[in-house]
């Protein structure tokens, strides 16, 4: 309705002016047509009567002249008629002619206007109605004998004029209303058009001459999710606070929504790790973690404190007396507060319950979840330690606290007990399993209850939100408000919403990287490859959920099926060692190494090796160099909440080159729909996608990359954090209003008793 008014009112005003001008034009046209018609009739009548009048005038037969005039006045339009002599004396006249219009009047008129104006026409009024008066000369043998004056009724013309005016106004009114409705509908549907354009891009079949067809579904994204995303964006655009999300807008949201100047983040992994090298020098590392990639720019924008496990070998040497260190080095816009864990605590809480238990439980990647009571005990203890650290760090009774990930499921409830008015936003960075699978965890109720201490619990996808709510419904006594997407427990509401995580945009690492051509040159030289080599890149922690084995097998299958790739296609896998104390991770490390060696043996020729396994921690500048050098980046996760490497690849490619092959089991596949989306288990499909990517025309690469860059720039990490803060702000506002209301009711109730 609002859009109807916004568009309709100016349109209606414009059309009203047009209608006014049109009615004047229509009235004038109607009048001139009618006048011409009247004149024609008068001339016809006059010429018909001419002969008789001339002879009767010559013969002085006044009665016969009158008879002719009465005959003329029978015409429905001729009201009256008069005949004058050439000297303007009345010969005969029908009734109703006023003296001022008779022969005397004509005489006077002739003196005023000149004889040449007779015969002629004139508009006048008779009996209050409009008339047309015409004067016709009566001649015989070329000699002027007199004048015939005809008075014609013009009231019909006036009636037609009014009818034409009304009709024009009515037509314009209908057009105006229809045009307003149509314009509003067009405006509303412009987003639908965008969706269709999206679909068109999605429907771009990978051109792969010589490649076997994988059917229509090959490399296709999840349309339903795209539609949802487009709708969300449409709603945001329609809201008053439009515009792209930026650090400034995030700060503003924090101030407006929560009256906060800074935040406290709790995340197990610290954004800057101080490591002492073999030479004794201390280096600052950026850990390989999607959580850190996303949260660090948010922290720089909002300032405050990040509470984390101090895991670096030089971490203790770099903190102050309060275990704090200011970061980023050189910029120092916020603080890390380090919490120290004993080896036992780390083993039980981090390796045990968090990673052998919850990580395996939440990912569909065929690793058996391990739940041990001793790990659980450590998890509870460490969660207590971190909850206390948070409460020590916050200022005031209603701070804004962002709790991150599966390491801290119990912390929200623990904080809530200490700080009932805190705004606690918890984000679960990994998938949430369905209720049945969650049932494997012996402490599922405690985990669920712990999370419900939050003001907002966020997941990457709606599916994960649904799974969570379904689990709460099954395992806890609560009230679920499906309309508000929230859980009400003990009178307190916890929102459950999806917030797809992202990266900073513009991306500082991409901005700092050398031009793409330079990166390519450097990387090919580093790997000992020819300038025309085809380069594939993968960047991951060495984790079984990332599908690294499936990725290498897809490369092998591509080399088998497409012989032209042999000797030319090299896949460089940057693999950061991770959670190496866990047997499953140690086994993965060995398996990946053995697999790479086997494929290399099989396809090696001269110095050519198809797989380059770079098993080490890589700092962001090196990672971005590889991403910018690649022809194809393959993200093959078997299950992944989001996967930010996919988005970093898009951020890295400001040259609009390179193709992303992306697992359908990542959250990112719901947004990056112009990637070649594959099932990583299907080696036929994945190998065909790799071959397709390697021979994709530059124009198509650019088209796909442009669309993905537009998407990530819009859905950046500031939007992710901003939307959560805004939702939490609204919830806080609602809580305050209902507190005031119940206080008011108590006062009223107290007065009565
Ligand atoms: O979101 C990505 C993520 O998997 C986090 O859940 C996890 O904390 C991080 O990356 C890396 O894992 P870790 O901290 O165990 O090295």
């Amino acid at each position: 309705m609002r859009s109807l008014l916004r568009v309709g009112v100016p349109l209606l005003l414009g059309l009203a002016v047009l209608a006014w001008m049109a009615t004047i034009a229509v009235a004038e046209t109607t009048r001139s047509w009618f006048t011409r018609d009247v004149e024609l009739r008068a001339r016809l009548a006059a010429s018909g009567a001419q002969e008789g009048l001339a002879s009767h005038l010559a013969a002085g037969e006044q009665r016969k002249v009158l008879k002719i005039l009465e005959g003329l006045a029978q015409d429905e339009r001729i009201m009256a008629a008069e005949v004058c002599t050439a000297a303007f004396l009345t010969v005969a006249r029908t009734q109703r002619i006023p003296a001022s219009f008779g022969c005397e009047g004509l005489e006077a008129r002739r003196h005023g206007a000149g004889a040449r104006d007779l015969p002629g026409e004139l508009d006048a009024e008779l009996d209050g109605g409009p008339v047309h008066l015409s004067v016709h000369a009566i001649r015989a043998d070329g000699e002027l004998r007199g004048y015939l004056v005809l008075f014609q009724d013009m009231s019909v013309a006036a009636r037609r004029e009014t009818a034409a005016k009304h009709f024009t106004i009515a037509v314009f009114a209908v057009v105006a209303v229809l045009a307003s409705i149509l314009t509003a509908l067009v405006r509303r549907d412009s987003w639908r058009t965008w969706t269709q354009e999206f679909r068109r891009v999605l429907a771009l079949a990978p051109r792969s001459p010589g490649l076997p067809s994988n059917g229509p579904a090959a490399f296709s994204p999840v349309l339903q999710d795209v539609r949802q995303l487009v709708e969300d964006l449409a709603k945001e655009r329609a809201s008053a606070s439009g515009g792209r999300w930026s650090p400034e807008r995030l700060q503003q949201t924090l101030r407006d929504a929560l009256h906060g100047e800074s935040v406290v983040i709790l995340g197990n992994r610290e954004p800057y790790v101080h490591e002492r090298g073999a030479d004794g020098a201390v280096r600052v590392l950026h850990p390989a973690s999607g959580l850190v990639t996303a949260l660090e720019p948010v922290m720089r924008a909002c300032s405050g404190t990040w509470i984390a496990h101090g895991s670096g070998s030089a971490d203790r040497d770099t903190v102050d007396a309060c275990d704090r260190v200011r970061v980023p080095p050189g910029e120092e816009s916020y603080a890390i507060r380090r919490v120290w864990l004993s080896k036992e605590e780390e083993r039980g809480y981090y390796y045990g319950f968090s990673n052998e238990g919850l990580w395996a439980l939440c990912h569909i990647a065929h690793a058996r979840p391990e739940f041990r009571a001793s790990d659980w005990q450590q998890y509870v203890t460490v969660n207590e330690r971190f909850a206390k650290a948070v409460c020590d760090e916050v200022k005031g009774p209603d701070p804004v606290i962002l709790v991150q990930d599966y390491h801290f499921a119990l912390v929200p409830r623990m904080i809530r007990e200490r700080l009932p008015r805190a705004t606690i936003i918890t984000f679960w960075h990994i998938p949430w399993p369905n209720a049945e699978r969650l049932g494997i965890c012996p402490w599922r109720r405690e985990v669920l209850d712990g999370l419900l201490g939050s003001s907002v619990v966020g997941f990457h996808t709606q599916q994960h939100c649904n799974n969570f709510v379904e689990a709460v419904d099954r395992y806890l006594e609560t009230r679920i408000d499906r309309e508000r997407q929230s859980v009400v427990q003990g009178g307190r509401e916890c929102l459950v919403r999806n917030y797809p995580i992202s990266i900073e945009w513009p991306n500082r690492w991409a901005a700092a990287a050398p031009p793409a051509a330079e990166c390519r040159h450097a990387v090919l030289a580093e790997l000992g490859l020819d300038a025309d080599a085809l380069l594939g890149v993968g960047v991951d922690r060495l984790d079984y959920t990332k599908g690294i084995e499936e990725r290498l097998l897809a490369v092998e299958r591509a080399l088998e099926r497409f012989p032209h790739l042999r000797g030319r296609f090299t896949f460089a896998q940057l693999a950061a060692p991770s959670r190496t104390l866990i047997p499953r991770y140690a086994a993965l490390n060995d398996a990946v190494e053995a697999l790479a060696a086997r494929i290399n043996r099989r396809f090696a020729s001269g110095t050519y090796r198809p797989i380059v396994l770079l098993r080490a921690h890589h700092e962001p500048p090196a990672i971005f160099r590889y991403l910018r050098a690649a022809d194809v980046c393959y993200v093959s996760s078997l299950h992944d909440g989001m996967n930010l490497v996919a988005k970093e690849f898009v951020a890295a490619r400001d040259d609009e080159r390179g193709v992303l092959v992306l697992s359908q089991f990542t959250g990112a596949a719901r947004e990056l729909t112009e990637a070649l989306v594959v099932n990583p288990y299907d080696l036929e499909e994945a190998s065909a996608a790799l071959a397709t990517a390697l021979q994709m025309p530059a124009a198509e690469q650019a088209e796909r990359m442009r669309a993905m860059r537009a998407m990530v720039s819009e859905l950046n990490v500031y939007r992710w954090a901003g939307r959560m803060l805004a939702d939490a702000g609204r919830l806080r506002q609602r809580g305050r209003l209902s507190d005031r209301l119940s206080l008011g009711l108590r006062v009223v109730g107290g007065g009565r008793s």
Side-chain angles (χ1 to χ4, degrees):
M1 189 62 194
R2 245 181 40 211
S3 85
L4 188 68
L5 285 178
R6 207 172 337 128
V7 182
V9 169
L11 199 73
L12 283 174
L13 285 176
L15 282 169
V17 172
L18 261 183
W20 176 69
M21 288 162 67
T23 44
I24 291 175
V26 165
E28 269 171 16
T29 311
T30 314
R31 173 180 288 266
S32 89
W33 282 347
F34 196 81
T35 306
R36 245 183 290 149
D37 178 48
V38 159
E39 284 167 7
L40 187 68
R41 277 169 175 255
R43 271 200 299 276
L44 283 174
S47 71
Q50 165 84 14
E51 207 184 319
L53 286 175
S55 70
H56 295 318
L57 261 181
E61 295 166 334
Q62 200 175 351
R63 285 187 62 82
K64 289 188 179 170
V65 170
L66 182 61
K67 207 158 175 69
I68 291 176
L69 293 186
E70 281 169 351
L72 288 174
Q74 294 296 304
D75 187 298
E76 57 170 340
R77 296 280 163 73
I78 297 176
M79 297 169 72
E82 181 172 15
V83 165
C84 318
T85 63
F88 300 107
L89 297 172
T90 300
V91 178
R93 63 190 331 189
T94 58
Q95 291 171 351
R96 293 177 66 197
I97 298 180
S100 58
F101 285 109
C103 296
E104 300 77 12
L106 274 186
E107 156 98 276
R109 233 171 259 280
R110 190 185 67 148
H111 289 305
R116 68 184 178 282
D117 289 323
L118 291 174
E121 279 96 27
L122 154 80
D123 285 331
E125 278 201 0
L126 187 61
D127 298 343
V131 292
H132 181 81
L133 182 151
S134 60
V135 184
H136 309 265
I138 306 168
R139 294 177 197 278
D141 306 326
E143 207 179 303
L144 180 68
R145 296 290 164 88
Y147 297 102
L148 168 65
V149 185
L150 296 176
F151 292 81
Q152 284 166 286
D153 184 7
M154 291 296 280
S155 61
V156 179
R159 279 201 301 277
R160 281 195 191 166
E161 227 174 85
T162 312
K165 274 184 193 168
H166 289 166
F167 180 72
T168 313
I169 289 169
V171 166
F172 266 90
V174 171
V175 168
V177 171
L178 287 180
S180 303
I181 292 171
L182 203 70
T183 313
L185 288 176
V186 166
R187 265 176 71 100
R188 214 187 59 187
D189 283 5
S190 65
W191 272 94
R192 270 185 219 152
T193 316
W194 196 66
T195 319
Q196 278 158 10
E197 178 59 15
F198 237 51
R199 284 203 201 119
R200 191 190 65 72
V201 178
L202 305 184
L204 277 180
R207 276 160 229 142
S208 46
L211 293 178
S213 160
N214 285 280
F219 321 146
S220 61
V222 199
L223 262 183
Q224 198 187 333
D225 298 311
V226 183
R227 232 175 272 130
Q228 185 57 51
L229 205 59
V230 168
E231 268 166 34
D232 290 351
L233 280 175
K235 270 187 221 147
E236 276 180 45
R237 286 271 167 95
S239 79
S241 56
R244 180 170 292 175
W245 280 93
S246 62
E248 295 72 34
R249 188 173 165 195
L250 179 60
Q251 281 163 10
Q252 193 58 44
T253 306
L254 180 62
R255 277 196 292 272
D256 293 350
L258 292 158
H259 310 294
E261 291 301 327
S262 64
V263 295
V264 169
I265 287 185
L266 173 61
N268 174 72
R269 186 62 62 199
E270 54 186 342
Y272 295 93
V273 183
H274 288 90
E275 284 289 347
R276 192 174 298 283
D279 57 355
V282 174
R283 288 191 306 146
V284 183
L285 300 182
H286 301 83
S289 158
L291 183 155
V292 169
T293 303
L295 265 296
E296 209 276 335
V298 170
M299 204 61 204
R300 266 186 289 130
C302 295
S303 79
T305 307
W306 183 316
I307 301 171
H309 170 212
S311 58
S313 57
D315 273 359
R316 281 181 195 265
D317 306 333
T318 45
V319 291
D320 63 15
C322 304
D323 297 327
R324 300 169 121 247
V325 58
R326 289 205 72 80
V327 289
E331 198 181 309
E332 278 136 38
S333 51
Y334 67 96
I336 299 179
R337 156 80 194 278
R338 286 172 172 151
V339 173
W340 315 111
L341 298 179
S342 69
K343 286 284 163 229
E344 291 71 44
E345 283 171 333
E346 197 181 351
R347 199 168 299 130
Y349 142 80
Y350 173 75
Y351 290 106
F353 193 77
S354 295
N355 285 312
E356 288 188 279
L358 291 178
W359 179 271
L361 180 77
C362 293
H363 289 92
I364 306 170
H366 326 293
R368 183 182 192 279
E370 299 284 349
F371 288 111
R372 291 177 286 261
S374 55
D375 291 344
W376 169 248
Q377 277 316 315
Q378 294 293 5
Y379 188 82
V380 176
T381 307
V382 172
N383 269 239
E384 271 291 352
R385 301 255 319 268
F386 276 99
K388 182 173 178 313
V390 170
C391 294
D392 290 347
E393 287 296 328
V394 298
K395 298 180 190 83
D398 55 358
V400 181
I401 302 164
L402 307 182
V403 176
Q404 304 302 309
D405 231 350
Y406 58 98
H407 309 91
F408 299 121
L410 308 180
V411 168
R413 170 75 56 213
M414 292 168 172
I415 298 175
R416 178 70 58 208
E417 276 159 11
R418 292 173 165 96
L419 298 166
R421 287 171 53 203
T423 295
I424 306 170
I425 302 171
T426 301
F427 192 78
W428 195 263
H429 288 254
I430 61 176
W432 186 273
N434 65 37
E436 201 173 350
R437 188 170 165 89
L438 186 73
I440 294 173
C441 176
W443 297 281
R444 56 192 171 268
R445 285 193 185 82
E446 289 83 346
V447 166
L448 288 168
D449 183 69
L451 288 169
L452 288 179
S454 314
S455 316
V456 179
V457 176
F459 298 94
H460 292 296
T461 68
Q462 187 57 45
Q463 181 61 55
H464 300 155
C465 294
N466 297 348
N467 286 351
F468 179 79
V469 171
E470 191 200 328
V472 169
D473 200 14
R474 186 178 298 194
Y475 299 117
L476 296 182
E477 284 295 321
T478 58
R479 182 169 67 79
I480 290 167
D481 186 335
R482 292 192 194 269
E483 207 155 306
R484 277 183 55 76
Q485 298 178 67
S486 67
V487 177
V488 183
Q489 198 192 29
R492 211 186 50 78
E493 186 178 28
C494 169
L495 300 181
V496 181
R497 301 274 163 89
N498 73 315
Y499 307 97
I501 206 166
S502 195
I503 57 172
E504 64 179 321
W505 194 286
N507 188 280
R508 68 187 154 136
W509 301 114
E518 211 177 292
C519 290
R520 183 170 175 84
H521 188 75
V523 167
L524 293 184
E526 209 166 287
L527 300 176
L529 300 176
D530 293 340
D532 69 341
L534 297 170
L535 181 65
V537 166
V539 181
D540 307 84
R541 283 183 306 103
L542 248 174
D543 193 297
Y544 57 87
T545 60
K546 303 294 178 186
I548 299 171
E549 290 166 278
E550 287 73 8
R551 191 177 309 171
L552 300 188
L553 289 170
V555 172
E556 181 182 37
R557 188 72 189 116
L559 295 172
E560 277 170 6
R561 293 172 73 192
F562 311 110
H564 67 277
L565 296 179
R566 294 177 201 163
R568 249 194 107 191
F569 177 37
T570 297
F571 195 91
Q573 176 63 49
L574 279 63
S578 176
R579 308 172 190 169
T580 45
L581 293 188
I582 299 176
R584 181 69 183 85
Y585 285 78
L588 174 77
N589 184 62
D590 296 345
V592 167
E593 191 172 64
L595 186 58
R598 182 178 67 68
I599 298 170
N600 278 342
R601 271 196 306 279
R602 191 170 162 205
F603 291 100
S605 67
T607 57
Y608 171 71
R609 303 278 180 281
I611 308 286
V612 178
L613 189 57
L614 299 165
R615 235 172 337 145
H617 170 78
H618 291 83
E619 281 290 288
I623 292 172
F624 272 75
R625 218 153 27 89
Y626 271 79
L627 293 177
R628 278 162 91 87
D631 293 295
V632 57
C633 173
Y634 184 17
V635 173
S636 55
S637 306
L638 304 182
H639 201 192
D640 216 329
M642 176 54 69
N643 194 290
L644 292 184
V645 172
K647 293 189 175 181
E648 286 183 314
F649 177 61
V650 168
R653 301 317 294 258
D654 52 7
D655 60 337
E656 296 180 349
R657 295 298 296 269
V659 181
L660 177 63
V661 178
L662 182 60
S663 162
Q664 68 188 67
F665 304 120
T666 60
R670 291 156 199 263
E671 293 172 27
L672 302 179
T673 47
E674 290 77 18
L676 301 187
V677 177
V678 298
N679 173 357
Y681 292 94
D682 182 347
L683 296 183
E684 299 308 305
E685 184 179 68
S687 59
L690 288 174
T692 302
L694 291 171
Q695 64 188 54
M696 186 181 285
E700 187 179 339
Q701 290 183 35
E703 191 178 351
R704 287 174 183 270
M705 190 54 81
R706 246 197 317 274
M708 290 194 285
R709 287 175 65 81
M711 187 60 120
V712 181
S713 67
E714 193 84 36
L715 305 179
N716 60 34
V717 78
Y718 306 112
R719 175 183 183 265
W720 170 76
R723 286 176 65 232
M724 287 196 292
L725 292 176
D727 282 350
R730 277 190 286 271
L731 186 72
R732 180 142 99 173
Q733 187 63 21
R734 206 176 133 104
R736 283 186 180 160
L737 284 175
S738 66
D739 282 355
R740 262 183 239 152
L741 197 65
S742 51
L743 185 71
L745 287 175
R746 272 206 301 278
V747 170
V748 172
R752 271 197 199 122
S753 61

